[in-house]
Amino acid sequence: MTETPTDEYEHYEAVVVGAGPGGAAAAAALANHGVETLVLERGVDAGSKNVSGGLIYAEESAPYTIDDLFPDFREEATERPADEYYIHNVAGRNVKTFDLNDIHHHDTEWCDSVLRRKMDSWLAEQVHGMTRETGGGLLTNVRVNGLLREGGEIVGVTCDELDPITADVIVAADGVNSELARDAGLMDWEEPEEWFQGVKAVVDMDPDAINERFGIDDDEGVAHLFAGDLFDGVRGGGLLYTNEDSLSIGTVFHLDSIAEEKAEPHELLDSLLTHPLLDQWLQGEYEEREYAAKLVPDSKKAAHPSPHRGRLLLVGDAAGQMQAQGPIIKGMNHAVTAGGLAAEAYQEAKARGNPTNAGDLYEQKLETEGVMKKLRPARYRYSRPVSESGLVTGLTNGLLNSPVGTAGLKLFGGLVERAFNSPFMLGMIPDTRFSYVTMPTRIGEVLGTPVTAENDIEPPELDERIGDLTYDVDDPHIEVLDNSFEASGTAVTACPVSAKDFGGGCYREETVQTNGGEQKVVSLDTQPCVECGTCAVVADTHWEHPPGGKGVEYKQG
Amino acid sequence: MPDIDPTEHDIAELGPKIKDVDDEQELEEMLAMEKGGEGRAPVITLIEDRLEKVGGEDEEVDPSEADLTEMTIADIANMIRDVDDIEVLRDILEREKAGKDRKGAKSQIEKKINNLEEDDGEETEVEYVPPEEKYPDLDHPTNDKQYVEGTVDGEYRDMWVYCETQRGELIDVSREMLGKARELMDTYNDDYDESEDVIAVLIGDGVGDLTEECLAYGADRVVYHEDSRLERFRHKPYTEIFCHMCRDWEVEWRDYHEPRYTVFPATNNGRDLSALVQGELDSGLASDCSGLYIEDADISNPAKTGTPGETKTFGKILHMKRPDFSGFEYSTILCIDKPHRDFHPQGASVIPGSFEIPEAEPEREGEVVEHDTDLPEEWFQVEVTEYDALDEGVDLTGHEVIVALGRGIGDDPTQGIELGLDLVDQFEDADLGLSRGVITASYQFDGHVEQYITEERQIGESGQVVEPDVYIAAGISGAVQHKVGMDESDTIIAVNENPDADIRDFSDYYIEGDLFQVLPRLTDALEEGEFARALQQEVSDD
Ligand SMILES: Cc1cc2nc3c(=O)[nH]c(=O)nc-3n(C[C@H](O)[C@H](O)[C@H](O)COP(=O)(O)OP(=O)(O)OC[C@H]3O[C@@H](n4cnc5c(N)ncnc54)[C@H](O)[C@@H]3O)c2cc1C
Ligand SMILES: Cc1cc2nc3c(=O)[nH]c(=O)nc-3n(C[C@H](O)[C@H](O)[C@H](O)COP(=O)(O)OP(=O)(O)OC[C@H]3O[C@@H](n4cnc5c(N)ncnc54)[C@H](O)[C@@H]3O)c2cc1C
Ligand code: SF4
């Protein structure tokens, strides 16, 4: 095989792949250091591919916050502050609400709700301006499809749309399902346990209605979380955040639980949307602006302890740096911190005359700045083998259902609320059905009061949700390697835009006649795909992102 | 030192100025100055042209004594430009008749005589230099042509439409053009109180079979030329035949010089032919048009009016709209006569699909004329030795009936397709369409129907958009992405076992039932010619 000499390619000092919060932070910090930086983003616009529930935190303990790097951020790119924070423990109609303000405000300088299209595209504009001055810039509609290597060493990136580009440092901030992390052999997409799946609806609502229904002013906002038995035993919870003139209502579940329960993600979302508790806010009106979904790494299991290889540094979701602190989801802030640290590490390594040392320095910084401690708490590592074994949860389960347990709950209701508000306790919560379902349900049952309201809104059907999305369809970007139902059938239910007995989704279950016998198989049409990444993990596929500018385009995010 | 230093002027300024310079020496100096300066190619050409003109004047022959037999038609045309004496011209005409008696030469001289008689000495204000005079050393403005035929005030009538055929059938755009031509000429005849015709031109092997169809789509007269050697489109014979038909052919009904209008399809072959024909007929061409209308135009361009500052109304102008910049802009092209030269026919090529296919009127009457002349062998020097049939894909548009199948065939996909094809066969002009759901399924099809399962048959947002008279959707749920590809169909008949399927909302007839039973019943009913009744029995309501 002959290799094109890499010195014939265009060269930048730094290439940043992805213009989410991680990439934007890395690029801004690099540009601040005067490093010539090129940013490549596959969306038609930054943010057009991105989804989050929507609360971005600025932590007091963090070395970099988004407004450190982009001083006008809150003014220009966010929706409302999240001043109040509640969790609702649901058992049927019974609901017990805890105030989680303590944990929410713990170590929090500020926290705002965001919509990603608006946020990321604003960031991208700033980044473009900053990186232009270093001789680089930001390009959208470009998908990086792999690493460029020379003699086995990573020296740059290859793209669908451009000739290969070499760089002294490559920051992979390409989010969850990072093709670069996979190419480098740093991440795989095998274990459903390592991921959550998030699904979200952005719901149109007049600002005055929001103020009135939530009892807030224009410059105020609230966050509500939901747990308990409204999700058919699937481990996870719901969220509702106020935006300027919309609500973000979503659900986040453990992917292994979605897979096991053969749960339909859009139905889980609908269970939340139609719960009587939500009537106080929706009041019979429901207009969905956008339906969206994405995988979320669980840093406790997925955060890579050494997220670099040669010139390549992984940042944010690409490195699994997404912290689910109990019900609190912190991904964007850690991506920002990691982006800042990666830039800092490169700058220092370069100053010491050894830029190739950037990766090691970055790893050190993640430790010394306390980031890794938040992402992979030692407490969790110690407690997991015990508390996640069936025996222990079975025991605790039994306890909770016994009269003694119930009495205890009643007596110690206040204590439970306090325990929820302890970052130490939350870091220890095991990922079992017990913590997500049984305990909140019991709390709701025992401590809760029934909701009397009726919620008769009708969320759109899946085909309508798909029909409302904007697509620029291209050739299939996912290939099913084994289409037997055993290997890939889980995707029929787990894919957020597919469902059993629904012909209009990506994955469909079919029966084919094979010499004599019958076989259950799946077929795939990638046109409705929202690129969430689920089937990369739960099905036997060859999974890639579509080329630059192709595929789904989120307008809200 | 010349009066004008060309290096100090724009080309636009120089143009008019240089016309007053008659001194060869001075022009030579100007030329040297420009070459020594910026050396602008157009300026050099301008000066050289003038030089040639000035220099050439010396060698002029005396028209009353010139030996016409020694001269080409262009020479004669040149010579008589400056002759203003009608008597001298008549003498030249007589001598030409007695000599070589060339039609082209005579018409040049006659025209000049006519002009002088009409003008009666009136002077045009814009100096006109005919191309032959401007470039006397150039013996051919184009490779094939000895001279540009400077017809003035010729007789023009009718709209000629070139009807392209493929595999022995009219292609859709031919029908579209005939419909449009009919509409244009009906309005034209009303507006101008004329009675001019739509003339369809058919050239090819066995095209005589298509003449009735051309009449049915709107032609008043069909002119056709059949020859087995014309089976494939070939530049030379097609161009020659078309031009002979419309310019040189002596038939009693064609009592004019050339067509008033010509319309061609903007297909691969149509684009070639349109350019060649319009070139041969010494006119212009607006290519790739998407809109046509005829009305008067007020023009103040002195090149057209002959008098600066004057606005003149030109009648019966074909306005030819064409998209520019990928359709972001439109220009309207007009092809208008100049004072010393006619630009007729006013010709356009038309983008397929720009106009509706008209309702055929089989009872329409008209005249069919065979153009039966010998075709010289040398027109066929270029031989088509080999060709590839381009895989054109499946075109589902333009059928009367589309039978479309969806995932409802899932229980027995092969049989489902067979049943669909059986139904297709019952109609004269029908084809099979599919939902995307079928194409992307993992269904195993038997060999004989497998060829039908391609994206080329997909109807919808990312497939084809069809509007047949009848759209039969069997086992299709009616997703919005499918709907946008078919809901303009005149009559939609849905066969679905689920009465809540969305497709019911936009169907004219809804048949609740299993397509494996309903489709054969429809096929049988059609065989017996009782479709309407069968349909009435099947439908639930709607
Ligand atoms: C439903 C849901 C709720 C969430 N809620 C919260 C929350 O409330 N708070 C919070 O902090 N976090 C939340 N998260 C997580 C958060 O969204 C992520 O952790 C965060 O976006 C990670 O940022 P990032 O910069 O690493 O990656 P991303 O934001 O995913 O950005 C990656 C970028 O890279 C681009 N890209 C990807 N591949 C390529 C390629 N090959 N070539 C070029 N460009 C590429 C993408 O288009 C994208 O713009 C939530 C996630 C979900 C799904
Ligand atoms: C961006 C995008 C572009 C798309 N573009 C297109 C496109 O161009 N064209 C297109 O078609 N689709 C397109 N789709 C897909 C579209 O959304 C639907 O998925 C598809 O049209 C569904 O096909 P279907 O109706 O055959 O299948 P289904 O939706 O599964 O419907 C099958 C129907 O058959 C009925 N049925 C089942 N068995 C029987 C029986 N025995 N007898 C009678 N009825 C029966 C069922 O009741 C059901 O209504 C696109 C999707 C996206 C996201
Ligand atoms: S096809 Fe795969 S990546 Fe696309 S939406 Fe479905 S599960 Fe997600």
Side-chain angles (χ1 to χ4, degrees):
Chain A
M1 209 179 85
T2 53
E3 278 182 25
T4 317
T6 50
D7 54 5
E8 281 183 11
Y9 296 128
E10 199 159 347
H11 180 87
Y12 287 86
E13 193 173 357
V15 166
V16 175
V17 181
L30 284 165
N32 286 342
H33 291 304
V35 177
E36 181 200 39
T37 306
L38 177 72
V39 187
L40 301 174
E41 163 61 44
R42 71 186 178 94
V44 277
D45 186 12
S48 65
K49 294 290 182 183
N50 302 343
V51 195
S52 83
L55 294 185
I56 184 164
Y57 283 85
E59 290 184 331
E60 281 159 4
S61 61
Y64 289 93
T65 62
I66 189 89
D67 58 333
D68 289 344
L69 292 162
F70 303 94
D72 297 333
F73 180 78
R74 296 190 70 190
E75 184 116 320
E76 300 290 339
T78 70
E79 296 288 315
R80 292 177 186 248
D83 309 301
E84 302 164 41
Y85 203 82
Y86 302 98
I87 188 164
H88 305 274
N89 298 280
V90 178
R93 278 186 168 268
N94 264 28
V95 177
K96 174 65 187 175
T97 302
F98 289 155
D99 180 341
L100 291 191
N101 275 313
D102 284 356
I103 179 72
H104 172 62
H105 291 295
H106 172 81
D107 194 27
T108 300
E109 198 181 306
W110 55 265
C111 172
D112 286 355
S113 61
V114 292
L115 290 170
R116 292 294 296 275
R117 179 72 184 252
K118 171 170 146 192
M119 165 179 140
D120 293 14
S121 58
W122 181 82
L123 284 174
E125 233 172 85
Q126 315 308 307
V127 166
H128 184 58
M130 295 166 84
T131 50
R132 273 290 284 277
E133 286 183 13
T134 68
L138 183 146
L139 288 179
T140 54
N141 289 303
V142 178
R143 169 180 165 255
V144 172
N145 59 21
L147 293 164
L148 181 70
R149 291 184 171 84
E150 191 179 50
E153 296 273 315
I154 296 167
V155 294
V157 294
T158 56
C159 315
D160 286 349
E161 294 79 13
L162 305 174
D163 285 339
I165 298 165
T166 57
D168 298 334
V169 62
I170 301 147
V171 179
D174 49 346
V176 70
N177 296 99
S178 158
E179 290 175 84
L180 293 187
R182 178 177 63 174
D183 189 343
L186 292 169
M187 302 285 271
D188 63 34
W189 307 340
E190 304 295 331
E191 305 303 327
E193 294 78 25
E194 294 176 2
W195 313 90
F196 301 98
Q197 185 200 64
V199 172
K200 188 175 89 162
V202 176
V203 183
D204 197 68
M205 197 174 279
D206 187 67
D208 293 335
I210 297 177
N211 294 349
E212 193 196 311
R213 295 174 196 178
F214 290 86
I216 51 177
D217 278 340
D218 278 340
D219 51 359
E220 293 174 344
V222 258
H224 292 274
L225 300 183
F226 308 88
D229 70 356
L230 71 180
F231 301 121
D232 299 328
V234 186
R235 280 181 284 121
L239 56 88
L240 182 159
Y241 306 142
T242 50
N243 301 320
E244 245 165 59
D245 58 359
S246 64
L247 305 179
S248 288
I249 306 183
T251 48
V252 178
F253 295 99
H254 280 278
L255 187 57
D256 54 330
S257 185
I258 289 187
E260 270 159 33
E261 306 287 338
K262 298 258 175 282
E264 298 281 6
H266 67 288
E267 287 176 5
L268 297 176
L269 176 66
D270 291 346
S271 307
L272 172 60
L273 290 170
T274 55
H275 193 276
L277 181 61
L278 268 69
D279 180 64
Q280 57 187 307
W281 304 305
L282 298 178
Q283 303 192 356
E285 288 167 23
Y286 186 82
E287 201 196 317
E288 195 168 290
R289 272 194 212 164
E290 185 171 273
Y291 175 78
K294 198 158 221 54
L295 283 195
V296 189
D298 182 355
S299 67
K300 291 195 289 298
K301 293 156 186 161
H304 200 290
S306 180
H308 59 94
R309 175 143 307 168
R311 301 183 196 180
L312 175 74
L313 277 56
L314 309 183
V315 154
D317 276 9
Q321 296 162 341
M322 199 333 288
Q323 180 194 12
Q325 193 182 18
I328 297 182
I329 306 171
K330 288 184 172 173
M332 293 184 277
N333 59 314
H334 292 312
V336 169
T337 300
L341 292 177
E344 194 182 295
Y346 172 72
Q347 179 60 18
E348 275 182 38
K350 184 172 108 177
R352 293 187 206 157
N354 188 6
T356 53
N357 203 27
D360 287 329
L361 266 179
Y362 170 56
E363 184 180 334
Q364 275 174 33
K365 282 174 189 290
L366 288 172
E367 285 291 344
T368 53
E369 295 289 348
V371 181
M372 266 331 258
K373 225 185 289 164
K374 293 174 190 164
L375 296 175
R376 298 196 81 145
R379 300 182 296 281
Y380 178 83
R381 274 181 253 170
Y382 297 138
S383 59
R384 177 147 83 121
V386 203
S387 56
E388 282 184 16
S389 78
L391 180 69
V392 177
T393 47
L395 260 177
T396 357
N397 253 330
L399 258 179
L400 205 59
N401 281 315
S402 76
V404 185
T406 310
L409 257 186
K410 272 195 176 134
L411 264 175
F412 298 109
L415 258 186
V416 180
E417 184 166 4
R418 238 181 295 151
F420 259 109
N421 272 305
S422 148
F424 181 77
M425 277 289 287
L426 282 180
M428 226 168 56
I429 289 183
D431 286 338
T432 60
R433 192 184 159 103
F434 175 73
S435 348
Y436 282 101
V437 183
T438 319
M439 188 157 82
T441 307
R442 285 300 284 161
I443 293 171
E445 265 171 18
V446 178
L447 302 175
T449 44
V451 183
T452 51
E454 292 301 332
N455 179 357
D456 50 13
I457 63 131
E458 284 183 15
E461 302 283 334
L462 200 45
D463 62 340
E464 296 169 85
R465 285 176 161 153
I466 293 170
D468 287 343
L469 285 168
T470 306
Y471 295 97
D472 183 355
V473 295
D474 200 55
D475 293 338
H477 57 102
I478 307 171
E479 190 193 340
V480 180
L481 299 177
D482 180 346
N483 77 342
S484 71
F485 196 78
E486 297 73 51
S488 301
T490 307
V492 175
T493 45
C495 168
V497 288
S498 302
K500 201 168 166 356
D501 298 326
F502 171 53
C506 293
Y507 284 91
R508 295 144 316 180
E509 176 184 334
E510 283 156 12
T511 308
V512 295
Q513 315 293 327
T514 48
N515 38 11
E518 268 189 0
Q519 204 200 343
K520 224 162 49 149
V521 297
V522 297
S523 66
L524 167 66
D525 180 8
T526 52
Q527 292 204 337
C529 175
V530 294
E531 301 154 32
C532 75
T534 298
C535 64
V537 182
V538 304
D540 190 358
T541 56
H542 176 68
W543 200 100
E544 287 186 1
H545 291 100
K550 296 294 179 181
V552 72
E553 178 192 339
Y554 291 129
K555 311 273 186 187
Q556 308 286 324
Chain B
M1 195 52 198
D3 283 348
I4 310 163
D5 178 352
T7 58
E8 283 175 4
H9 296 283
D10 288 347
I11 301 170
E13 292 169 356
L14 275 174
K17 284 199 171 146
I18 208 160
K19 292 208 176 100
D20 301 332
V21 186
D22 291 328
D23 184 40
E24 228 174 309
Q25 182 64 32
E26 199 173 331
L27 286 165
E28 293 286 5
E29 281 172 36
M30 287 171 68
L31 189 61
M33 288 170 90
E34 180 61 28
K35 283 183 175 164
E38 279 180 75
R40 292 166 293 179
V43 173
I44 293 176
T45 320
L46 193 72
I47 303 173
E48 284 175 350
D49 283 352
R50 185 65 198 166
L51 251 177
E52 278 170 14
K53 182 154 192 248
V54 173
E57 274 165 5
D58 298 343
E59 302 145 32
E60 222 159 75
V61 284
D62 181 351
S64 49
E65 280 163 23
D67 180 357
L68 298 180
T69 56
E70 291 286 297
M71 296 171 80
T72 65
I73 299 177
D75 290 339
I76 296 175
N78 278 345
M79 179 180 75
I80 61 171
R81 282 292 156 207
D82 297 329
V83 182
D84 290 334
D85 187 333
I86 295 184
E87 287 314 311
V88 175
L89 289 167
R90 293 220 167 99
D91 171 55
I92 297 174
L93 183 61
E94 287 315 310
R95 281 189 288 137
E96 174 63 23
K97 282 181 180 166
K100 284 189 163 178
D101 196 27
R102 287 161 293 190
K103 195 178 164 200
K106 285 187 291 180
S107 75
Q108 291 287 328
I109 306 165
E110 282 164 353
K111 216 176 306 149
K112 180 74 185 184
I113 295 172
N114 282 343
N115 284 353
L116 286 174
E117 283 172 348
E118 276 174 31
D119 284 4
D120 214 13
E122 205 180 287
E123 266 199 343
T124 46
E125 289 170 41
V126 175
E127 189 189 349
Y128 172 69
V129 186
E132 311 85 285
E133 193 172 324
K134 213 167 166 189
Y135 307 99
D137 289 349
L138 271 185
D139 60 348
H140 50 78
T142 69
N143 258 344
D144 300 330
K145 302 188 59 138
Q146 292 301 305
Y147 64 99
V148 172
E149 186 197 54
T151 308
V152 179
D153 288 340
E155 223 358 87
Y156 307 101
R157 291 173 66 80
D158 298 346
M159 178 174 279
W160 287 59
V161 179
Y162 174 67
C163 297
E164 187 174 337
T165 61
Q166 287 282 344
R167 297 195 195 95
E169 293 196 28
L170 283 184
I171 58 174
D172 276 351
V173 59
S174 301
R175 304 187 178 105
E176 293 161 14
M177 290 186 303
L178 285 172
K180 187 67 188 180
R182 177 76 273 141
E183 179 193 316
L184 286 170
M185 292 314 280
D186 283 346
T187 319
Y188 171 93
N189 288 332
D190 279 356
D191 288 355
Y192 297 104
D193 193 23
E194 293 278 3
S195 57
E196 296 188 22
D197 290 340
V198 173
I199 300 188
V201 178
L202 287 164
I203 303 173
D205 185 20
V207 287
D209 299 343
L210 301 172
T211 52
E212 289 302 316
E213 195 177 348
C214 291
L215 293 177
Y217 281 111
D220 298 303
R221 180 175 283 115
V222 186
V223 186
Y224 71 100
H225 192 114
E226 284 186 322
D227 190 312
S228 59
R229 290 171 295 175
L230 297 171
E231 189 195 347
R232 313 213 130 257
F233 175 74
R234 285 199 252 179
H235 289 162
K236 181 74 178 168
Y238 271 65
T239 307
E240 292 289 350
I241 292 169
F242 191 105
C243 291
H244 187 265
M245 283 173 168
C246 74
R247 181 187 58 192
D248 307 316
W249 194 18
E250 311 249 346
V251 267
E252 142 276 322
W253 55 267
R254 208 192 59 79
D255 51 354
Y256 45 84
H257 179 45
E258 284 175 358
R260 180 183 299 285
Y261 310 114
T262 46
V263 187
F264 302 85
T267 54
N268 289 339
N269 294 343
R271 283 194 178 110
D272 282 5
L273 184 67
S274 58
L276 290 165
V277 166
Q278 292 297 109
E280 175 59 31
L281 299 181
D282 299 311
S283 188
L285 171 71
S287 59
D288 294 1
C289 297
S290 59
L292 297 175
Y293 56 96
I294 297 169
E295 62 183 36
D296 295 350
D298 292 335
I299 302 293
S300 48
N301 180 351
K304 295 293 182 189
T305 61
T307 320
E310 186 182 282
T311 301
K312 195 171 151 190
T313 301
F314 289 83
K316 309 174 174 175
I317 299 299
L318 182 61
H319 288 59
M320 302 172 277
K321 265 182 74 182
R322 69 187 303 276
D324 292 332
F325 305 111
S326 315
F328 287 110
E329 294 278 354
Y330 280 86
S331 336
T332 302
I333 313 268
L334 313 181
C335 182
I336 295 179
D337 294 347
K338 287 213 291 195
H340 297 275
R341 184 174 156 201
D342 288 358
F343 280 92
H344 272 85
Q346 306 173 44
S349 67
V350 169
I351 300 173
S354 302
F355 307 121
E356 296 270 310
I357 298 180
E359 198 76 41
E361 293 175 45
E363 63 288 349
R364 258 187 65 91
E365 283 181 14
E367 197 182 328
V368 175
V369 201
E370 178 164 13
H371 179 260
D372 191 13
T373 56
D374 287 338
L375 307 182
E377 202 45 52
E378 65 259 28
W379 288 358
F380 295 92
Q381 276 171 356
V382 177
E383 237 181 284
V384 183
T385 53
E386 211 181 314
Y387 59 87
D388 271 335
L390 197 69
D391 189 8
E392 283 175 17
V394 182
D395 184 2
L396 296 178
T397 59
H399 289 291
E400 282 167 16
V401 179
I402 293 289
V403 177
L405 300 173
R407 294 174 59 82
I409 63 171
D411 284 346
D412 190 343
T414 297
Q415 199 200 348
I417 299 289
E418 284 169 354
L419 295 177
L421 289 170
D422 288 348
L423 189 53
V424 164
D425 286 343
Q426 294 306 316
F427 298 98
E428 220 159 79
D429 177 24
D431 209 341
L432 184 78
L434 297 172
S435 78
R436 182 165 179 84
V438 171
I439 294 155
T440 57
S442 55
Y443 301 155
Q444 315 267 310
F445 292 96
D446 287 355
H448 64 290
V449 296
E450 206 173 348
Q451 52 173 320
Y452 292 96
I453 318 303
T454 77
E455 284 197 22
E456 295 177 340
R457 292 192 181 269
Q458 179 178 324
I459 288 169
E461 182 184 313
S462 46
Q464 299 190 43
V465 176
V466 298
E467 337 183 335
D469 299 341
V470 179
Y471 189 90
I472 304 176
I476 291 180
S477 61
V480 59
Q481 300 89 351
H482 185 82
K483 181 181 173 193
V484 297
M486 46 66 81
D487 68 344
E488 294 288 311
S489 305
D490 281 352
T491 302
I492 298 172
I493 303 169
V495 181
N496 200 304
E497 48 179 29
N498 177 5
D500 292 331
D502 289 338
I503 194 151
R504 190 171 174 176
D505 299 342
F506 51 93
S507 297
D508 301 287
Y509 299 95
Y510 168 69
I511 304 174
E512 181 174 348
D514 179 358
L515 67 88
F516 290 97
Q517 286 161 18
V518 177
L519 293 185
R521 285 208 297 269
L522 288 177
T523 303
D524 290 348
L526 274 163
E527 249 165 23
E528 290 156 24
E530 297 183 85
F531 188 57
R533 218 180 68 203
L535 194 60
Q536 286 310 328
Q537 276 170 10
E538 296 280 359
V539 296
S540 323
D541 57 327
D542 280 335

